[in-house]
Amino acid sequence: MLNELLPEDLLDTRAIIFIAVSATALLGLYRRWRASRELRLPFLKFEDGDDSRQRYVAESTKLLKLGYEKYLKHGQAFAMRNYIDELGPQVYLPLKYLDQFKTAHESKLSFPYFSELLFSQNEIGMAKVTEEASHVMRTDLIRNLPAIIAGVKDECSVIFDKMIPRTPDWTPVIPYPIFAFVMARLSARVIAGPELGRNEEWLGICISFTQKSMEAAHALRASEKRPQFNDGVQWLMEHYDAQNRKLTPAILAEHELFLAVASIHSSSAIALSILYDLLDDRRQDAKKEILDEIAAITNEYPSWTRPAVAKLLKLDSFMKESQRLHFMGHARVTRAARVPFTFGDGLHLPKGTMAQILHSGPQTDPEFYEDPETFDPWRFLRKRETIDPYKFQFASLSNVETTFGAGFHACPARNYAADTLKLVLVHLLTTYDIKYAKEEQRRPAETYHDNATLPNFATQLLFKSKA
Ligand code: HEM
């Protein structure tokens, strides 16, 4: 019957898929259009005649600065176009909502759902945020941190020696791919264990996020009995066992790939960004003090254990100041409304709204930081000395320190990430002389894409072995 009524090609599988996909996309567009009508918020846009999509890709930084000054600073949320139009408008919230926002239950405001929408994870088959992987990072990683950190410095020497030879001559290096490899290898020790940590194919997979992770994890699981390790695979196996659930290779691969996505590029880009400041000719006095600090710790401790790393107070402060001014992205604490959500004062987010905190706004706001545009390497060290020694650290969380997010989903590996970054920088600063290849010894300008700000990945540096 259907055959008689419809043209032949409409029954072709491709045509059916096309219709189904288009219908879903149209339904999505309709839902988001409705959501944007329900959002009773000022709508921020470029108002100089060009409000094209391209401007949202290249110039969101300008618009977000305006949004902070005009709305957020005065306690008013705003909406703006999402450069991926199908996602509907995005919402930025002022800090007064952060406490309610970060504590809202996952069934209402969701971090995984935000990532699912933003990265079209269902459509492209990308590994999703998995509750189990986050759980083992939140529990087992934190418990095992001293043992894990104790091996990082030695591992740095082994890896960097292969990647940047110790020679007396200046060697030109584009550091980002090397940093990504180093961070992939360091994270692999934590998320996948020593076998995969030394497996170049696995590391390549993690760096390039390819589907091959499935095969690699499958091969690992297929390889008979695994000895006891202290890593994510082991912790996930134990977590599933304790709940009497089956951890299949495919599920394990999904957890592992998600952890690889979460861990490698953020750490590599931040390492590069901080190194750029350490090499800048305006920071040489601070660098000298950091080198003295490292020398003093090396005299006091036989090896780089967690207590030794905790003594890197100046490096910690420098790193935090560097990230304050050269943050990795404007948006943090990203959540999407699984159901319509209303804040205590009546602000309403329709179902499907993607909302976030503007991390960048407070970083250069004199309300939060004195003389905020000045790079003051010991700003946070002074705060630790005079206000609270346990706060204002690189990995600290507060309503203005949102580099690692906030609330339940705040990065569970932030202390691991901070310690690892420090040990990578200690290794680089004590092993090599490093300078910019160009004559001017100044950090290169950031690059921008949508609400991301990234250190320049193409800048060439020169390395030579320390005398
Ligand atoms: C300096 C490097 C890193 C930065 C800046 C960073 C930042 C973040 C941020 C902003 C979030 C979301 C928090 C929120 O929305 O409240 C997050 C989540 C997460 N990060 Fe990190 N991260 C870093 C390194 C790592 C590493 C090395 C790992 C693993 C070894 C990791 C594992 C995770 C996981 C599992 C989550 C999801 C937490 C959850 O679902 O509850 N991160 N991270």
Side-chain angles (χ1 to χ4, degrees):
M1 174 70 174
L2 198 65
N3 276 327
E4 287 157 27
L5 290 175
L6 297 174
E8 227 177 78
D9 64 346
L10 203 61
L11 289 177
D12 179 87
T13 325
R14 275 170 305 176
I16 292 173
I17 292 172
F18 175 74
I19 292 171
V21 170
S22 311
T24 316
L26 279 175
L27 190 65
L29 273 178
Y30 167 70
R31 286 207 186 110
R32 292 194 179 108
W33 170 79
R34 215 180 52 188
S36 73
R37 278 174 50 106
E38 282 177 49
L39 269 176
R40 293 180 197 287
L41 290 176
F43 210 91
L44 185 72
K45 54 184 190 174
F46 292 102
E47 284 181 343
D48 55 5
D50 175 8
D51 193 47
S52 62
R53 180 178 175 275
Q54 193 44 39
R55 285 196 86 184
Y56 287 82
V57 177
E59 294 178 47
S60 278
T61 290
K62 277 188 208 158
L63 203 56
L64 289 169
K65 214 170 166 40
L66 178 69
Y68 182 73
E69 293 302 328
K70 197 168 167 189
Y71 299 116
L72 301 183
K73 210 170 150 38
H74 309 288
Q76 164 77 64
F78 69 86
M80 66 182 260
R81 179 176 175 176
N82 197 320
Y83 91 96
I84 308 169
D85 281 324
E86 300 88 274
L87 295 177
Q90 53 179 327
V91 170
Y92 280 92
L93 296 166
L95 290 181
K96 71 175 185 187
Y97 293 110
L98 182 54
D99 287 333
Q100 285 176 68
F101 191 56
K102 72 185 181 192
T103 51
H105 192 265
E106 170 58 38
S107 59
K108 296 180 176 160
L109 293 177
S110 164
F111 171 62
Y113 184 40
F114 185 99
S115 310
E116 202 176 301
L117 293 175
L118 183 67
F119 301 115
S120 305
Q121 287 172 332
N122 289 327
E123 290 77 3
I124 65 169
M126 180 180 173
K128 293 187 186 172
V129 175
T130 71
E131 199 274 318
E132 292 83 356
S134 298
H135 173 80
V136 298
M137 291 295 125
R138 217 172 278 129
T139 50
D140 300 282
L141 172 62
I142 291 173
R143 201 171 44 244
N144 290 296
L145 209 48
I148 285 166
I149 292 301
V152 169
K153 178 67 173 66
D154 289 344
E155 188 91 3
C156 280
S157 303
V158 175
I159 319 171
F160 274 111
D161 280 1
K162 276 198 194 148
M163 313 290 290
I164 309 177
R166 297 192 198 198
T167 65
D169 305 317
W170 288 109
T171 310
V173 171
I174 303 277
Y176 187 75
I178 296 179
F179 284 13
F181 185 83
V182 170
M183 289 303 181
R185 184 149 161 182
L186 291 175
S187 317
R189 297 171 66 243
V190 172
I191 67 176
E195 302 136 283
L196 287 180
R198 279 180 232 106
N199 179 323
E200 303 219 340
E201 192 188 359
W202 168 261
L203 298 174
I205 289 164
C206 289
I207 295 168
S208 59
F209 317 123
T210 68
Q211 279 295 344
K212 281 191 171 181
S213 62
M214 296 286 281
E215 297 162 25
H218 206 296
L220 170 74
R221 294 293 93 226
S223 65
E224 288 307 305
K225 266 189 157 315
R226 184 177 192 267
Q228 285 272 315
F229 285 126
N230 205 9
D231 59 53
V233 172
Q234 188 69 40
W235 304 330
L236 281 162
M237 285 162 64
E238 286 166 10
H239 180 66
Y240 272 73
D241 276 354
Q243 296 188 341
N244 229 348
R245 290 162 65 201
K246 192 168 159 48
L247 178 61
T248 63
I251 296 174
L252 176 63
E254 195 174 344
H255 294 317
E256 287 296 315
L257 192 58
F258 156 56
L259 287 174
V261 170
S263 62
I264 297 170
H265 290 278
S266 42
S267 303
S268 318
I270 291 182
L272 182 66
S273 179
I274 298 169
L275 182 65
Y276 281 164
D277 274 328
L278 283 163
L279 301 185
D280 192 299
D281 57 13
R282 292 162 293 182
R283 316 282 170 246
Q284 291 317 295
D285 290 348
K287 184 172 125 191
K288 164 90 181 52
E289 289 193 43
I290 289 169
L291 281 167
D292 290 347
E293 177 180 74
I294 295 171
I297 298 169
T298 319
N299 278 337
E300 192 182 342
Y301 290 85
S303 64
W304 284 100
T305 53
R306 269 215 102 197
V309 177
K311 294 263 174 142
L312 288 162
L313 303 179
K314 287 190 171 167
L315 180 58
D316 188 281
S317 179
F318 187 100
M319 286 164 56
K320 197 171 173 77
E321 181 70 348
S322 169
Q323 268 300 288
R324 184 180 70 80
L325 290 170
H326 305 290
F327 47 83
M328 277 270 292
H330 290 275
R332 286 293 192 287
V333 199
T334 50
R335 307 287 185 263
R338 284 195 191 274
V339 291
F341 185 87
T342 307
F343 289 95
D345 66 355
L347 174 71
H348 179 70
L349 302 180
K351 181 177 172 186
T353 305
M354 296 170 75
Q356 57 231 307
I357 293 293
L358 186 67
H359 166 78
S360 54
Q363 309 310 317
T364 49
D365 184 340
E367 185 185 333
F368 300 106
Y369 295 106
E370 201 185 317
D371 201 4
E373 301 291 346
T374 301
F375 188 107
D376 173 357
W378 318 134
R379 181 188 297 278
F380 293 102
L381 179 58
R382 281 197 308 279
K383 283 178 189 271
R384 284 178 75 174
E385 285 168 351
T386 54
I387 306 173
D388 186 333
Y390 300 105
K391 290 186 181 164
F392 315 108
Q393 302 185 31
F394 184 74
S396 297
L397 301 178
S398 78
N399 283 2
V400 287
E401 295 161 298
T402 42
T403 296
F404 290 99
F408 181 72
H409 289 291
C411 181
R414 58 189 180 278
N415 288 308
Y416 163 79
D419 284 6
T420 305
L421 280 170
K422 284 176 202 166
L423 290 171
V424 164
L425 292 168
V426 165
H427 180 77
L428 291 173
L429 293 179
T430 54
T431 311
Y432 304 98
D433 286 326
I434 313 170
K435 63 179 186 178
Y436 287 102
K438 60 187 169 75
E439 201 171 315
E440 193 194 36
Q441 298 295 300
R442 290 278 162 106
R443 81 169 281 144
E446 255 74 51
T447 56
Y448 302 103
H449 187 276
D450 180 29
N451 61 19
T453 53
L454 297 165
N456 191 317
F457 290 151
T459 302
Q460 195 174 61
L461 301 181
L462 299 177
F463 282 67
K464 73 172 179 165
S465 192
K466 267 197 181 297

